[in-house]
Amino acid sequence: MRKSLIVMGALLLALLGGWYHHQHHHFNPNTYINQVDVSGLTTESALKKLEKVKINNQLYVDNQLIYQGKKLNTGVTPSDSDYLKQLLKKQASFFPNHKIKKFYVPAMQKNFERNQKLEQCLTAYLKSENHKRIRPVNAYATYTDGQVKIIKEKKGDAYDIAKMLQTLKRRENQGTIKVKSQYLQPTTSKSKAVQKQAQFLKALLAQKATYKVQGKTYDIKAKDVITSASYQSGKLSLDTNNLTGKIMKINHSQATFGKEYLFKTSHGTKIRVKNSTYGWKLAPAKATHRILTALIKHRRASLDAQKDLYGTGFYSTGTGYKHLSNHGLGTTYAEVSLTKQHAWFYKAGHLVASVPVVTGNVADDHSETPKGVYYIGYKQAPTTLRGRHTDGTPYASPVKYWAPFTVDGCGFHDASWRHDWSSKAYLTNGSNGCVNIHPEQMSNIYHALEPGEPVVIY
């Protein structure tokens, strides 16, 4: 009896040992490597099967097949033997485990051409589908009718292409790849981002700035100049028509560019003149941008309008901003009477020169000295004036002193070649448009003139 028990025990141990050996040298049921069933196989036989078998080359979106290529090798080679042994060890169990187990040897990741093709195919498919679908609309903060509100989000059914491509990348070493639909999600009204947007608009509308234009200061309140606003997807949009209108009113009240006024001449009469290139005005876009920037950054800023000026001629930033007297001309300026053929030069209110001149030839419409208010662009000494006479012939006239006041070439200069200095020379024998001054008098005048100084011609 005892011998029988010993024999039975030995047989049982042998069976258990054999079973243990089998379980640790064969894959469990329902085990797949690179989508190939290797149930019950040893690593050697599994490796041979994986080397020979072909697997599907497919891409699905949900249950929709969007790509069918030629069948693929599993990509497993004898060099992956150790990896298979690790998988076997990982899934080994004493009792058979029928749970489906899927493993992937990452060899197929080397198939860059296939992976690129799948990505292109998925991207093209999703973009095409999205043309028929509705994109979600994010919630956003808005300001209208004096109130800050949050407009609720709207859902859509457009695919989230980026996320679905990420899913594809994670599965590129599979033969048949199934990518589930993922949809673009809107930012909700309860999100921190939208709540911050609403808080930002409320804070913005409480801001104010002071804007100094020459001797005047304007208090600008955000709630007065911003009629509506929205803060959507990180982008702030403002209706600033009221602010632009305010800038235009300031221009109408204070700007001197293009201004027409009565000018008291050196001989006592009052004549009407108009600023041609002389003067300044506020550039609405520049001024609006600076003021809004200060309000948006929540600075209780004091801004000087001098950085927002516009002008024409030699300087695009205007001239005469600091002059409040004499219609913005100040007390340093040049004055030229075409009928009297005379010029006066003032510096800090004092007459420093009063000289006869010869101006543009009135017998030639193209040579007349232009009327209006201009300014000295720059000074140059000596130089050569070059151009063409009205008959088309070129000229090159050396001068010791040159101070232009129009960008097309009119200015003050000495004229050593001139012999006719009479008060009627301009009627038939005038200049090509410049103001000719006798060489003996030009030196003092040249040194008295300043760039930006107004020149009144009438």
Side-chain angles (χ1 to χ4, degrees), residues 9 28 51 105 109 158 169 175 196 203 208 217 258-259 320 351 366 397 428 456:
N28 268 319
E51 285 185 272
V105 177
Q109 291 179 358
K169 281 185 175 293
K196 282 184 177 180
K208 65 179 182 179
T217 298
K259 184 178 180 181
L351 181 65
H366 301 290
S397 304
T428 56
V456 184

Side-chain angles (χ1 to χ4, degrees), residues 169 205-206 288 394 397 414 422 444:
K169 281 185 175 293
L205 294 162
T288 299
S397 304
D414 53 294
S422 70
N444 290 336

